[in-house]
């Protein structure tokens, strides 16, 4: 049996403690940048200009599949936007989709809004959302394209902010940081805490550092630049098309800019299971795209895990009581996350501070378990009725499609 001699063991412990301190320093650098960024960037209208014809036209692509109780509210918010020139391009995968009737009803209600409905996607595309959007992308008539998924609630301020920031020559894409609308219940509070605390810790900071970090829920881009990097449809071979296309645009030297307005995901009846499954899916995608970052760095900078190993590291170097350090580190993170959530919310919260603390602790304790579940089958991604196999690097193949079985 192999044993380390005392001197070698000291070197190993020193190395591990130093790695822990480096993770600790990086975490707090990102936390500070996020707090500053959220305060200085969000809800600032300094970039907004008046409505005039100099603003480029926008083609808004809305990929749809099925109907949920809040879909009509989400879609109608796009019909009522005030903007000089825009078109709404609705996409459904087949002619049996129930969203078709809803779209047609809204088209009749708002006859002066330029809208088009595309039925069916483009064969050969693995990603179901890109498959769905392909005809709309190819037929978009305006130079700017805004991809706004079915959960997103829009407003005039949002489209104006996106378009104004995109006017700058070196800016190719403007994206909204994911957030959620106000809903009641434990699961809704859980969503609010995650998207207002855990996700922004790195999302805002990385964008402050001009790194490519955005999601595909709601973003506007210049179609001419997208064509420079092979076009949107090229990225349909990946499930995480947003990661690869934004990385390609960033590598071209263009800037990616965060909108002043967080994306308002408006979802009816959220559940803890749906939230957990969504997190597992996202982690598995990131593991296959960025195995070191998401397989090592992310888990070790999770608040509970980070508090555990840094409390040992500070005890190793400075003799600080690890129990006190752990408790103080958890409390400090909770307080700063609450401050950051209030900044991102831009107004009062529906829940009390006590409810926040309870849900915050629940989410932080759930997070390591979510990572463990993701690591069990890291190549298998379940999305709706489909199951995919994702290889390192992001290439994806469809393994099973339950929807086709049901139709047959």
């Amino acid at each position: 049996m192999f044993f380390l001699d005392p001197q070698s063991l000291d070197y190993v412990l020193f190395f591990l403690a130093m790695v822990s301190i480096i993770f600790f320093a990086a975490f707090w650098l990102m936390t500070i940048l996020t707090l500053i960024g959220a305060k200085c960037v969000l809800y600032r209208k300094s970039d907004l200009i008046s409505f005039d014809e100099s603003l480029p036209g926008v083609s808004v692509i809305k990929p749809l599949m099925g109907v949920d109780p809040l879909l009509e509210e989400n879609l109608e918010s796009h019909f009522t936007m005030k903007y000089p020139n825009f078109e709404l391009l609705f996409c459904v995968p087949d002619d049996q989709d129930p969203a078709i009737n809803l779209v047609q009803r809204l088209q009749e209600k708002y006859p002066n809004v330029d809208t088009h409905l595309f039925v069916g996607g483009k064969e050969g595309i693995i990603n179901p959302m890109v498959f769905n959007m392909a005809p709309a992308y190819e037929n978009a008539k305006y130079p700017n394209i805004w991809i706004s998924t079915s959960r997103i609630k829009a407003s005039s301020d949002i489209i104006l902010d996106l378009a104004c920031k995109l006017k700058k020559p070196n800016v190719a894409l403007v994206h909204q940081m994911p957030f959620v609308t106000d809903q009641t219940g434990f699961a809704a509070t859980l969503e609010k805490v995650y998207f207002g605390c855990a996700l922004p810790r790195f999302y805002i900071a990385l964008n402050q550092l001009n790194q490519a970090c955005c999601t595909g829920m709601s973003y506007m881009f210049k179609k001419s630049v997208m064509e420079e990097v092979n076009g949107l449809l090229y990225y349909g071979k990946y499930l995480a098309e947003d990661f690869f296309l934004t990385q390609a645009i960033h590598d071209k030297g263009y800037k990616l800019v965060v909108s002043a307005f967080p994306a308002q995901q408006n979802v009816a009846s959220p559940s803890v299971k749906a939230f957990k499954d969504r997190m597992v899916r996202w982690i598995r995608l990131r593991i296959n795209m960025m195995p070191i970052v998401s397989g090592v760095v992310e888990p070790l900078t999770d608040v509970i895990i980070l508090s555990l190993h840094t409390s040992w590291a500070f005890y190793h170097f400075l003799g600080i009581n690890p129990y006190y350090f752990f408790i103080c580190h958890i409390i400090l993170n909770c307080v700063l996350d609450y401050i950051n959530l209030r900044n991102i919310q831009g107004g009062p919260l529906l829940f009390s501070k006590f409810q926040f603390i309870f849900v915050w602790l629940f989410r932080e304790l759930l997070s390591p378990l979510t990572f463990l579940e993701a690591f069990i089958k890291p190549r298998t991604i379940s999305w709706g009725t489909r199951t995919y196999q994702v290889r390192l690097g992001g290439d994806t193949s469809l393994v099973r499609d339950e929807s086709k079985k049901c139709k047959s």
Side-chain angles (χ1 to χ4, degrees):
M1 193 171 182
F2 178 74
F3 291 97
L4 288 175
D5 60 82
Q7 186 175 14
S8 298
L9 181 60
D10 285 342
Y11 282 131
V12 170
L13 293 177
F14 176 83
F15 173 78
L16 292 175
M18 280 303 301
V19 170
S20 178
I21 296 298
I22 291 169
F23 279 122
F24 175 84
F27 175 89
W28 280 102
L29 172 63
M30 294 294 182
T31 299
I32 292 168
L33 285 174
T34 291
L35 287 166
I36 295 171
K39 194 69 176 175
C40 297
V41 174
L42 299 181
Y43 304 106
R44 301 289 179 180
K45 297 188 179 182
S46 58
D47 288 335
L48 299 187
I49 60 176
S50 60
F51 292 101
D52 59 54
E53 297 301 323
S54 69
L55 286 169
V58 175
S59 296
V60 185
I61 298 180
K62 296 290 297 182
L64 307 175
M65 183 181 291
V67 175
D68 65 54
L70 295 180
L71 181 61
E72 182 169 1
E73 180 182 329
N74 297 342
L75 297 188
E76 191 163 14
S77 69
H78 291 73
F79 278 89
T80 56
M81 293 187 301
K82 303 299 181 184
Y83 188 81
N85 296 296
F86 75 95
E87 62 175 347
L88 298 179
L89 309 179
F90 298 100
C91 314
V92 293
D94 57 61
D95 58 8
Q96 300 302 310
D97 198 289
I100 293 175
N101 292 332
L102 174 56
V103 171
Q104 291 173 339
R105 189 164 69 249
L106 288 170
Q107 286 175 322
E108 293 174 2
K109 185 176 180 180
Y110 299 94
N112 295 326
V113 179
D114 185 7
T115 64
H116 302 276
L117 175 63
F118 296 90
V119 179
K122 188 166 186 176
E123 293 304 321
I125 297 178
I126 291 291
N127 184 304
M129 193 167 83
V130 179
F131 166 86
N132 208 358
M133 295 189 296
Y137 175 80
E138 293 179 327
N139 289 279
K141 68 181 181 182
Y142 290 120
N144 291 349
I145 293 179
W146 178 14
I147 293 177
S148 173
T149 53
S150 62
R151 295 181 171 201
I152 299 300
K153 192 173 182 180
S155 72
S156 300
D157 278 345
I158 291 172
I159 189 172
L160 184 60
D161 181 64
L162 295 172
C164 289
K165 285 183 166 64
L166 198 58
K167 283 191 72 175
K168 297 176 182 178
N170 63 335
V171 175
L173 184 147
V174 184
H175 55 104
Q176 292 185 271
M177 186 189 75
F179 197 48
V180 289
T181 58
D182 289 333
Q183 305 284 345
T184 58
F186 181 86
T189 304
L190 178 63
E191 295 256 358
K192 179 78 75 171
V193 168
Y194 171 77
F195 285 104
C197 298
L199 183 138
R201 284 179 198 147
F202 296 98
Y203 196 101
I204 295 177
L206 289 171
N207 279 285
Q208 291 288 96
L209 295 171
N210 195 31
Q211 298 301 303
C213 179
C214 65
T215 69
M217 292 181 190
S218 176
Y219 62 103
M220 186 182 292
F221 57 86
K222 294 171 181 171
K223 189 174 183 180
S224 59
V225 175
M226 185 66 74
E227 290 301 308
E228 288 182 32
V229 293
N230 299 314
L232 176 66
L233 307 193
Y234 171 81
Y235 299 94
K237 62 183 180 179
Y238 307 111
L239 276 188
E241 84 292 341
D242 48 356
F243 172 84
F244 292 99
L245 68 87
T246 53
Q247 191 65 57
I249 291 172
H250 186 265
D251 290 345
K252 275 277 188 178
Y254 292 101
K255 289 190 69 176
L256 314 176
V257 177
V258 180
S259 169
F261 300 94
Q264 297 295 325
Q265 298 177 82
N266 195 35
V267 185
S269 306
S271 70
V272 174
K273 183 181 184 305
F275 171 82
K276 186 267 298 177
D277 291 344
R278 193 180 186 191
M279 294 303 109
V280 168
R281 184 171 71 246
W282 287 0
I283 292 169
R284 286 175 177 168
L285 281 172
R286 294 198 300 273
I287 288 172
N288 288 287
M289 297 182 301
M290 306 175 292
I292 301 299
V293 172
S294 295
V296 178
V297 176
E298 279 190 41
L300 289 177
T301 52
D302 216 38
V303 168
I304 300 293
I305 305 301
L306 180 72
S307 300
L308 284 170
H309 65 75
T310 52
S311 61
W312 166 78
F314 277 93
Y315 172 74
H316 179 78
F317 283 129
L318 303 174
I320 297 174
N321 187 304
Y323 303 105
Y324 292 157
F325 184 95
F326 177 84
I327 293 170
C328 291
H329 192 253
I330 293 291
I331 293 173
L332 181 59
N333 271 280
C334 184
V335 171
L336 293 181
D337 272 353
Y338 183 78
I339 294 171
N340 204 40
L341 174 59
R342 289 299 301 267
N343 289 336
I344 295 168
Q345 174 77 0
L349 297 165
L350 287 184
F351 44 86
S352 66
K353 292 183 177 69
F354 176 79
Q355 289 172 311
F356 166 79
I357 293 169
F358 179 77
V359 175
W360 185 89
L361 285 171
F362 177 85
R363 199 222 69 86
E364 294 301 335
L365 291 168
L366 178 67
S367 186
L369 300 177
T370 306
F371 272 103
L372 285 175
E373 182 177 342
F375 289 144
I376 292 173
K377 292 183 178 179
R379 302 280 185 267
T380 303
I381 308 287
S382 296
W383 188 0
T385 59
R386 297 179 177 92
T387 302
Y388 300 89
Q389 191 76 16
V390 183
R391 294 174 288 279
L392 282 176
D395 284 329
T396 305
S397 57
L398 179 63
V399 176
R400 187 169 61 254
D401 187 349
E402 297 294 337
S403 64
K404 291 183 178 179
K405 290 183 181 179
C406 294
K407 289 177 182 178
S408 62

